[in-house]
Amino acid sequence: MNDVTAAVPELVERVRGLPVRQIVLDGEVLALRRDGSPLPFQVTMRRFGRKLDVEGVRAELPLTPFFFDVLHLDGQDLVDLPASERFAALDQAAAGLVIPRIVTADPDEAEAFYDGAVARGHEGVMAKSPAAPYEAGGRGFSWLKVKPAHTLDLVVLAVEWGSGHRSGFLSNIHLGARDAASGSFVMLGKTFKGMTDEILAWRTKRFQEIAVATDGTTVHLRPEVVAEVVFSDVQQSPHYPAGMALRFARLKRYRPDKSADQADTLDAVRAIFERGRSVPGDP
């Protein structure tokens, strides 16, 4: 809810240039590479905290808006109209600034569109119902995010006691990759997602059997249990020893068939991180 208008003058210029008197738009702003592919989210966010030398950083890291919905246009509220009508109004009002979109019933055409988005460096696509009204703060089943996911086999280093309906169960797991050089394990993040009641019950017993220390909240474990984890990407993070963290991690399953020395290495994690990493000015 911060007012960032002064930090993004090119966005103000683009919107003021639209052929409208009043408009409320929904969309995203991206910093792009020279080839038009998006830079990482954290690079884009550098612009929004900037207060000094805005024009200098604008020249170094220009922003491009991509609008995907319109909520109000020249005195008319559009939120209750079906998406197809809102999108038609958006195409008229903000031509040239609208996110790429297709409407199709052909699976091959949809797959080609998805493949093209991923090839250009985007996370995936949003599939939206053309009949749905605009719903602030939630998508329900009117919007579905479709994107690829990475998986790694990581070691559970610690676990936290849960709260609420998970009181009495060990819930949030700390995940680490194997450092092949030292043989130690390096933490990359935590997750409480993807866990059924049966899993919570099983591992509350299992993890206490391999506990080595606790501070009353976090139980530290012998590095024995391997978990297959699904995540969207690896981002830079000052909070973890390797300077990296998993983004949107979720437990897929435990791997009793694997020992800790068969877990994925820090080098494998770093390779994923480097594929998504770049700096302004990169081609």
Side-chain angles (χ1 to χ4, degrees):
M1 301 302 292
N2 295 331
D3 183 353
V4 298
T5 308
V8 289
E10 66 267 51
L11 305 186
V12 176
E13 294 166 7
R14 298 294 294 273
V15 174
R16 281 182 170 168
L18 298 177
V20 300
R21 291 179 290 107
Q22 293 178 324
I23 193 165
V24 178
L25 294 158
D26 195 356
E28 292 188 344
V29 175
L30 297 175
L32 303 176
R33 298 181 180 88
R34 293 172 185 171
D35 65 0
S37 62
L39 286 161
F41 171 77
Q42 290 171 309
V43 176
T44 294
M45 288 305 297
R46 283 176 46 196
R47 284 292 309 274
F48 289 88
R50 193 65 176 240
K51 296 181 180 179
L52 301 176
D53 191 23
V54 171
E55 289 300 326
V57 75
R58 172 184 178 177
E60 175 194 359
L61 194 66
L63 298 176
T64 302
F66 293 91
F67 298 116
F68 47 73
D69 217 327
V70 57
L71 315 185
H72 179 93
L73 180 59
D74 288 339
Q76 182 183 4
D77 290 329
L78 308 180
V79 292
D80 293 327
L81 294 180
S84 57
E85 294 184 31
R86 299 196 313 277
F87 297 163
L90 178 65
D91 289 338
Q92 291 292 319
L97 302 181
V98 179
I99 199 165
R101 182 176 63 243
I102 62 168
V103 179
T104 183
D106 183 343
D108 292 336
E109 185 180 11
E111 185 172 2
F113 184 80
Y114 167 84
D115 290 341
V118 173
R120 292 193 301 275
H122 298 284
E123 286 189 359
V125 300
M126 294 295 300
K128 300 185 178 184
S129 167
Y134 185 88
E135 296 180 89
R139 297 193 299 263
F141 291 104
S142 297
W143 292 14
L144 297 176
K145 183 179 289 188
V146 182
K147 64 179 183 179
H150 303 284
T151 62
L152 287 171
D153 292 329
L154 301 173
V155 175
V156 182
L157 304 178
V159 62
E160 300 171 9
W161 286 104
S163 59
H165 76 279
R166 292 190 175 185
S167 292
F169 294 99
L170 289 171
S171 177
N172 203 359
I173 55 175
H174 298 200
L175 299 161
R178 179 168 54 88
D179 185 340
S182 67
S184 61
F185 296 91
V186 182
M187 186 174 172
L188 296 164
K190 309 176 185 181
T191 188
F192 59 85
K193 298 178 180 178
M195 302 169 193
T196 65
D197 290 344
E198 290 77 14
I199 288 175
L200 288 170
W202 168 80
R203 70 177 194 187
T204 297
K205 180 177 183 296
R206 174 73 175 102
F207 287 167
Q208 290 186 89
E209 293 172 350
I210 58 172
V212 294
T214 182
D215 60 8
T217 300
T218 302
V219 179
H220 298 272
L221 310 177
R222 292 198 304 270
E224 295 182 5
V225 175
V226 177
E228 185 176 359
V229 179
V230 182
F231 58 98
S232 63
D233 56 24
V234 179
Q235 64 184 9
Q236 187 173 354
S237 173
H239 302 296
Y240 295 108
M244 301 179 293
L246 305 182
R247 189 163 181 243
F248 302 129
R250 176 176 58 85
L251 175 70
K252 184 176 181 180
R253 59 173 173 159
Y254 286 104
R255 296 294 306 267
D257 58 315
K258 281 195 168 187
S259 60
D261 60 2
Q262 295 174 305
D264 282 305
T265 65
L266 199 58
D267 288 340
V269 180
R270 189 171 288 112
I272 297 171
F273 173 66
E274 293 294 343
R275 285 199 295 269
R277 183 188 184 195
S278 62
V279 297
D282 276 1

